[in-house]
């Protein structure tokens, strides 16, 4: 059997190798690294191709492609969102991603992104909180204690120095799971019986629920002045978590307005509802938090550039390691014009 040439091989990071890499680097260090890569790409935002993700909706979920390019590399992520999956013993979100060289069009990385998406989502939240949360914020309410909750908490610890988290979920088993997973990781964990209790004393409020429907996880009277809100559960049309009154009292920051106005909390608001793009804050073009009583709100839906940053990081981090395998993924005939001949010769 003919061995594939180097040109045929694409590095592939499996779930097992992603987990090995996380333990090698350390989960908090990895999220700090990811935040640095994401912040660097936000600072060169204008270089990127930008388009709302391509979504295929069904009654039970959504399947999406998220592409972008900085002119030198091209990346995309395949991702689904199926809230009903947990009742069937399946993940709500699964994902994989690819990075390619723009000059040749050849892929240079294929990787699992179910775990990597959780890491990059949390790293993005904490990177944004670094710019928008009140100074000295050290306590977070984590409302929704599913697959993302521990990552969100540890990213805040690693990047802004979070000391305490107050957990609430309508499913007590989810809260117990989250509390057990965070035990011994340097965070003071409090289990709360209501969202109102979770918010007490918290300067950062994070909502991360999965139901694909309009919901009011936070009502207007629950949110006082001077807090930062990470609304990360809403990520498709018809799915929200916050009462409109909260949006009217907040300064709202978004990744990419054409996508967020369709998928985010601001889908509830008029088309001309004022928002600030995060890249402008991170680049120093516009202010973020300007006062102690200000409510800042990160209307997070996830954007392809954040995945591109994560793919760049993995590509760089696995060099000269054994945290990947080579896949025979690209046909490489001796004569580029003789693909048929290559197939025929394989018969022998």
């Amino acid at each position: 059997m003919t061995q594939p040439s180097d040109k045929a091989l694409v590095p592939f990071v499996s779930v097992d190798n992603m987990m090995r890499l996380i333990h090698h680097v350390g989960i908090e260090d990895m999220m700090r690294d990811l935040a640095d890569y994401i912040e660097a790409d936000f600072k060169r935002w204008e270089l990127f191709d930008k388009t709302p993700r391509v979504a295929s909706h069904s009654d039970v979920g959504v399947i999406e492609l998220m592409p972008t390019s900085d002119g030198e590399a091209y990346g995309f992520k395949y991702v689904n969102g199926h809230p009903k999956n947990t009742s069937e013993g399946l993940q709500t979100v699964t994902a994989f991603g690819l990075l390619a060289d723009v000059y040749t069009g050849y892929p240079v990385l294929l990787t699992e992104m179910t775990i990597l998406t959780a890491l990059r989502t949390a790293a993005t939240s904490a990177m944004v909180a670094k710019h928008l949360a009140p100074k000295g914020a050290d306590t977070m309410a984590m409302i929704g204690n599913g697959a993302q909750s521990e990552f969100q908490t540890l990213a805040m610890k690693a990047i802004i120095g979070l000391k305490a988290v107050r957990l609430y979920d309508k499913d007590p088993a989810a809260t117990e799971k989250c509390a057990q997973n965070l035990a011994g990781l340097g965070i003071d964990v409090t289990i709360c019986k209501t969202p109102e209790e979770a918010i007490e004393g918290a300067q950062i409020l994070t909502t991360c629920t999965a139901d694909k429907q309009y919901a009011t996880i936070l009502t207007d009277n629950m949110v006082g002045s001077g807090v930062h809100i990470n609304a990360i559960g809403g990520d498709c049309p018809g799915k929200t978590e916050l009462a409109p009154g909260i949006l009217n009292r907040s300064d709202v920051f978004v990744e990419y307005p054409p996508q967020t106005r369709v998928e985010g909390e601001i889908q509830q608001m008029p088309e001309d509802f004022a928002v600030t793009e995060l890249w402008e804050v991170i680049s120093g073009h516009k202010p973020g938090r300007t006062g102690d009583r200000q409510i800042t709100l990160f209307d997070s839906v996830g954007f392809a550039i954040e995945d591109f940053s994560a793919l760049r990081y993995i590509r760089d981090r696995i060099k000269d390691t054994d945290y990947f395998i080579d896949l025979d993924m690209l046909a490489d005939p001796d004569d580029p014009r003789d693909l048929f001949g290559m197939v025929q010769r394989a018969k022998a």
Side-chain angles (χ1 to χ4, degrees), residues 3-124:
Q3 291 299 310
S5 74
D6 289 344
K7 294 189 181 92
L9 302 177
V10 177
F12 169 61
V13 181
S14 65
V15 171
D16 182 60
N17 275 325
M18 183 64 72
M19 293 190 293
R20 290 179 61 226
L21 179 63
I22 291 167
H23 288 292
H24 173 72
V25 175
I27 191 165
E28 292 187 37
D29 284 338
M30 192 161 174
M31 288 198 281
R32 275 190 286 264
D33 292 343
L34 284 166
D36 288 344
Y37 270 66
I38 295 165
E39 189 167 45
D41 283 341
F42 269 72
K43 288 179 178 177
R44 58 192 193 108
W45 189 262
E46 293 166 294
L47 291 176
F48 284 89
D49 294 338
K50 291 174 281 291
T51 182
R53 53 185 150 216
V54 181
S56 177
H57 292 277
S58 70
D59 291 340
V60 293
V62 62
I63 295 173
E64 300 167 332
L65 291 178
M66 300 173 66
T68 191
S69 173
D70 66 353
E72 294 185 2
Y74 169 91
F76 78 84
K77 181 173 79 175
Y78 166 98
V79 62
N80 76 295
H82 285 66
K84 60 86 180 172
N85 276 7
T86 51
S87 66
E88 300 171 10
L90 301 171
Q91 289 282 298
T92 299
V93 174
T94 66
F96 68 87
L98 181 143
L99 195 67
D101 174 48
V102 166
Y103 181 72
T104 64
Y106 273 40
V108 297
L109 175 70
L110 178 66
T111 180
E112 86 80 37
M113 288 193 77
T114 307
I115 298 168
L116 187 57
T117 293
L119 290 166
R120 78 87 166 130
T121 302
T124 300

Side-chain angles (χ1 to χ4, degrees), residues 89-238:
L90 301 171
Q91 289 282 298
T92 299
V93 174
T94 66
F96 68 87
L98 181 143
L99 195 67
D101 174 48
V102 166
Y103 181 72
T104 64
Y106 273 40
V108 297
L109 175 70
L110 178 66
T111 180
E112 86 80 37
M113 288 193 77
T114 307
I115 298 168
L116 187 57
T117 293
L119 290 166
R120 78 87 166 130
T121 302
T124 300
S125 293
M127 183 272 292
V128 172
K130 183 178 72 172
H131 291 274
L132 298 181
K135 287 183 179 177
D138 63 4
T139 302
M140 178 173 75
M142 185 72 234
I143 299 173
N145 302 154
Q148 180 67 218
S149 55
E150 298 93 341
F151 294 96
Q152 288 284 324
T153 302
L154 287 178
M156 290 291 180
K157 175 178 180 282
I159 292 164
I160 68 162
L162 192 78
K163 295 179 180 176
V165 65
R166 301 175 63 81
L167 304 176
Y168 170 77
D169 194 291
K170 65 180 182 180
D171 178 3
T175 302
E176 187 60 35
K177 175 271 307 181
C178 184
Q180 288 179 2
N181 284 341
L182 291 172
L185 296 181
I187 289 280
D188 181 22
V189 177
T190 301
I191 292 175
C192 301
K193 295 181 179 178
T194 65
E196 290 84 355
E197 182 185 350
I199 287 167
E200 290 176 14
Q203 304 91 12
I204 298 172
L205 317 180
T206 296
T207 57
C208 187
T209 58
D211 286 347
K212 190 182 178 183
Q213 62 182 6
Y214 290 110
T216 305
I217 307 303
L218 296 183
T219 59
D220 192 14
N221 65 347
M222 290 168 64
V223 178
S225 62
V227 298
H228 172 64
I229 303 170
N230 280 322
I232 64 173
D235 58 3
C236 67

